[in-house]
Amino acid sequence: MRRRTFLAVPALGAAASLLDVSAASASPAVMYSNPLIARRADPHIFRHTDGYYYFTATAPEYDRIILRRATTLQGLASASESVIWRKHASGDMGAHIWAPEIHFINGKWYIYFAAGRSNDIWRIRMWVLENSSADPFTGTWVEKGRIVTHLDTFSLDATTFSHNGIRYLSWAQQDPAISGNSNLYLAPMSNPWTISGTPVRLSVPTLSWETIGYKVNEGPSALIRNGKVFLTYSASATDSNYCLGMLTASASSNLMNPASWSKKQQPVFRTNTATSQYGPGHNSFTVSEDGQSDILVYHDRSYRDISGDPLNDPNRRTRIQKLYWNADGTPNFGTPVPDGATPYRFRSYNFPDRFIRHVSFRGRIDADMTNLAESQFRMVTGLAGSGTVSLESTSNPGYYLRNRNNEIWLDKNDGTTGFKNGASFTRRAGQSDPAAVSFESMSAPGRYLRHYNYALYAQPLSTAADLADATFYLE
C-alpha cells in the first residue's frame, strides 16, 4: 500500500497534524505586468514613508533627470513624469546624464547621478542634487557638487545605504593602474555628498562573464537581509551579455575590509532566451506594497541583436519581479520572467516548504529549488475559455500543466481541443483554506490538482488529507 504523502516527510514530526499546518499564514501573492516602463534604463525605485513609490531612471536622450511617483508599483507605469533637472548647456554636467538614484536622508531628498562635460562627454563623474522640500516635485533642487574620490577618473553609478549606524557610498570607477573599465568601491560618508577616509576596492572584473565586450563592474545596489549584506552589480557590455553578479559580506563584519566580501563565481541574473529577455542589469531593490516581499527592479531588452553601439539603442525598459529567498538565507533571482503578467509560485498547504514544479516534465512538489523558474507559473486565461485558467511554465513558455490520464504533466500546447481542455482548470477557493486556491480539472470535472507522494495528479477529494493535498497558496 502506497504511503500517504502527508506522513512521508520526517521534518513535520510525528505530532504534526493537518490542523497544525493549516495555521501557516498565507503570504499575499505579488503580481505585476512587464515591462513596467518603456525606454527607461538604470531604474531606481524608492519607497518613502509618505506611501509613495518614487521612480527615476536614465532617459535615452541622456539629457535630463525625470521623476514619477505612485502609491503602487504598477501605478508607476501610468504615472505622470516630471523633469526635475536638465543638463548644463556647457561645462560639467553637460552630457551623458546617467543612472540617477533618489534617496531620502536626514529629512532631505538627494539624487545621485553621473554626467560628462559638454566638450568631453566621456569625462564621466558623480554628482549630487539636494531638495529640502518634503515633496521632491516641489522646492528647489540644489547642485551640491561632485563627489570627490581618491582618483579623478571615470566614475559613475553612485548608490548609498546605511548599516550599523554608518552611511556608505558604493560606486564604479576606473583605475588607470588596473586593466579594465570600472571596478567597485566602498567608502563611509561624512554627509550625503561627501565620502570620508580612504575608499576600498571591493571587486575587479576578472571572471569571463564580467569581461565580455568591456571589463566592467558597475551599478552596485545593496540589500541587507538574514544577517548578510548583499551587493549586486552589473558586468560586461550593455548588450545581451550584460548581467548581474553579487558580493556578500556578513552583516557583523567590517564592510571596509575587502576580505569581508566574497564574490559569486557565476552571474546571479542573466539573459534568458526562453523568456526572450536580454541583457538584464543595473538593478535596484524595493519592497511590495504590503512590505512582505522584496522586489527586484532592473532593465533589459526584448531582443538580442543590436545595430551599432548599445548605448545608442533606446529600448532598454524598466521591469520588476519578486525576489525569492533560498533556505540558506541567500537571494534567488531566478530568470528574467516573460513579458506580461509576472508568475506565481504555488506553495503546498500541508507542506509549506514545498512548491509545485516540473521535473523532466512531470508535475510534483519539491523544496528549495535551485532552478526557481521550474516552480514559477503564469496563471493565464484558460486555453479552453469558459471562465477557466491555465498554468503556463516560466522556464518553458508555451508549455502548460496538463491533466494527462489523471496525471499532471508539463506539455507543449499543440492547439488541439483535447490539449486545451486538459490544460484548463476552474479556479476554486482553497479546499482547506479559502484564502488559498484549488484547481478543478475541466477535462475531468470533480477531479482536483493535488499531490500524492509528491507527484501531482487529478483526483477526486474525499478525506481531510485529500483536501489539504489539493490546497495551495499563491506566492
Side-chain angles (χ1 to χ4, degrees):
M1 179 177 178
R2 186 163 55 179
R3 195 178 185 192
R4 288 288 308 146
T5 302
F6 72 93
L7 296 177
V9 180
L12 285 178
S17 70
L18 291 174
L19 181 61
D20 294 330
V21 293
S22 68
S25 61
S27 298
V30 173
M31 187 175 178
Y32 305 107
S33 182
N34 280 307
L36 186 70
I37 303 174
R39 295 195 166 200
R40 292 294 178 264
D42 313 323
H44 186 260
I45 297 177
F46 175 80
R47 191 186 191 192
H48 191 39
T49 54
D50 64 1
Y52 282 100
Y53 288 96
Y54 290 84
F55 167 86
T56 189
T58 300
E61 296 80 11
Y62 303 152
D63 63 350
R64 64 195 187 276
I65 295 176
I66 58 89
L67 195 60
R68 300 185 184 202
R69 69 178 167 195
T71 55
T72 65
L73 285 165
Q74 194 64 48
L76 291 170
S78 57
S80 60
E81 188 171 279
S82 296
V83 177
I84 58 97
W85 183 90
R86 291 189 181 274
K87 70 177 184 179
H88 289 193
S90 61
D92 287 331
M93 295 182 280
H96 280 164
I97 309 305
W98 286 351
E101 288 198 4
I102 184 167
H103 296 266
F104 190 76
I105 305 170
N106 299 332
K108 296 181 180 180
W109 292 96
Y110 292 90
I111 286 181
Y112 299 81
F113 66 102
R117 288 181 59 88
S118 60
N119 60 348
D120 187 358
I121 62 174
W122 294 107
R123 193 179 189 279
I124 306 291
R125 301 294 186 270
M126 301 177 294
W127 305 84
V128 183
L129 305 177
E130 178 189 75
N131 190 334
S132 59
S133 172
D135 181 351
F137 286 84
T138 64
T140 302
W141 285 97
V142 177
E143 295 173 1
K144 302 300 290 185
R146 181 166 71 91
I147 298 176
V148 178
T149 70
H150 60 303
L151 296 169
D152 186 16
T153 59
F154 179 89
S155 53
L156 71 168
D157 295 348
T159 191
T160 183
F161 65 97
S162 183
H163 180 57
N164 288 340
I166 301 173
R167 178 159 293 280
Y168 294 92
L169 188 83
S170 185
W171 71 97
Q173 188 159 9
Q174 186 175 44
D175 185 340
I178 298 174
S179 174
N181 299 88
S182 59
N183 314 304
L184 295 182
Y185 294 87
L186 183 72
M189 306 186 79
S190 58
N191 62 45
W193 59 92
T194 308
I195 65 172
S196 60
T198 302
V200 296
R201 186 174 63 245
L202 299 184
S203 179
V204 175
T206 58
L207 300 173
S208 60
W209 51 271
E210 298 177 301
T211 56
I212 303 174
Y214 298 98
K215 297 178 179 180
V216 169
N217 282 177
E218 65 182 17
S221 185
L223 183 63
I224 304 170
R225 296 284 187 275
N226 306 324
K228 296 181 176 68
V229 180
F230 303 102
L231 193 69
T232 55
Y233 63 92
S234 298
S236 288
T238 57
D239 53 19
S240 62
N241 296 298
Y242 209 49
C243 60
L244 290 185
M246 187 173 73
L247 306 176
T248 304
S250 168
S252 61
S253 67
N254 176 10
L255 300 187
M256 291 300 293
N257 181 357
S260 298
W261 297 86
S262 62
K263 178 189 285 192
K264 289 279 288 185
Q265 296 301 292
Q266 294 295 327
V268 296
F269 202 57
R270 67 194 315 173
T271 286
N272 189 281
T273 56
T275 60
S276 300
Q277 307 301 321
Y278 299 90
H282 204 114
N283 81 288
S284 60
F285 299 101
T286 188
V287 295
S288 59
E289 288 81 353
D290 63 7
Q292 300 302 303
S293 299
D294 291 299
I295 303 298
L296 175 67
V297 184
Y298 63 99
H299 74 238
D300 77 358
R301 293 184 178 89
S302 61
Y303 49 87
R304 182 193 64 191
D305 298 325
I306 299 170
S307 177
D309 189 336
L311 286 175
N312 295 328
D313 182 292
N315 293 319
R316 292 179 292 178
R317 67 267 176 88
T318 295
R319 308 179 91 249
I320 56 175
Q321 62 190 67
K322 181 176 177 177
L323 182 69
Y324 291 88
W325 293 89
N326 297 314
D328 64 359
T330 58
N332 190 329
F333 293 80
T335 63
V337 298
D339 284 355
T342 55
Y344 295 107
R345 296 180 88 194
F346 297 89
R347 177 166 58 87
S348 170
Y349 165 82
N350 50 354
F351 290 96
D353 66 332
R354 290 178 177 262
F355 296 82
I356 290 178
R357 70 171 303 191
H358 58 88
V359 178
S360 299
F361 299 101
R362 182 70 168 92
R364 55 179 291 111
I365 60 169
D366 280 318
D368 195 24
M369 282 150 286
T370 300
N371 189 347
L372 178 70
E374 288 183 351
S375 66
Q376 291 178 296
F377 298 87
R378 288 203 300 173
M379 188 156 44
V380 300
T381 300
L383 298 180
S386 302
T388 62
V389 298
S390 293
L391 304 179
E392 183 182 13
S393 169
T394 293
S395 60
N396 298 74
Y399 285 68
Y400 296 82
L401 291 181
R402 172 195 183 191
N403 177 5
R404 191 206 301 173
N405 298 322
N406 296 325
E407 295 180 344
I408 303 300
W409 290 81
L410 185 76
D411 288 333
K412 186 175 182 179
N413 182 9
D414 63 10
T416 64
T417 299
F419 182 94
K420 292 177 181 179
N421 290 340
S424 296
F425 300 86
T426 302
R427 176 178 172 171
R428 306 292 190 194
Q431 298 297 292
S432 290
D433 182 351
V437 296
S438 294
F439 297 98
E440 183 180 5
S441 173
M442 179 181 174
S443 59
R447 290 178 175 264
Y448 284 75
L449 188 155
R450 57 87 59 91
H451 64 82
Y452 188 84
N453 284 350
Y454 305 136
L456 294 180
Y457 296 89
Q459 293 181 347
L461 310 176
S462 57
T463 69
D466 295 343
L467 299 176
D469 288 351
T471 303
F472 301 91
Y473 291 115
L474 297 176
E475 291 191 356

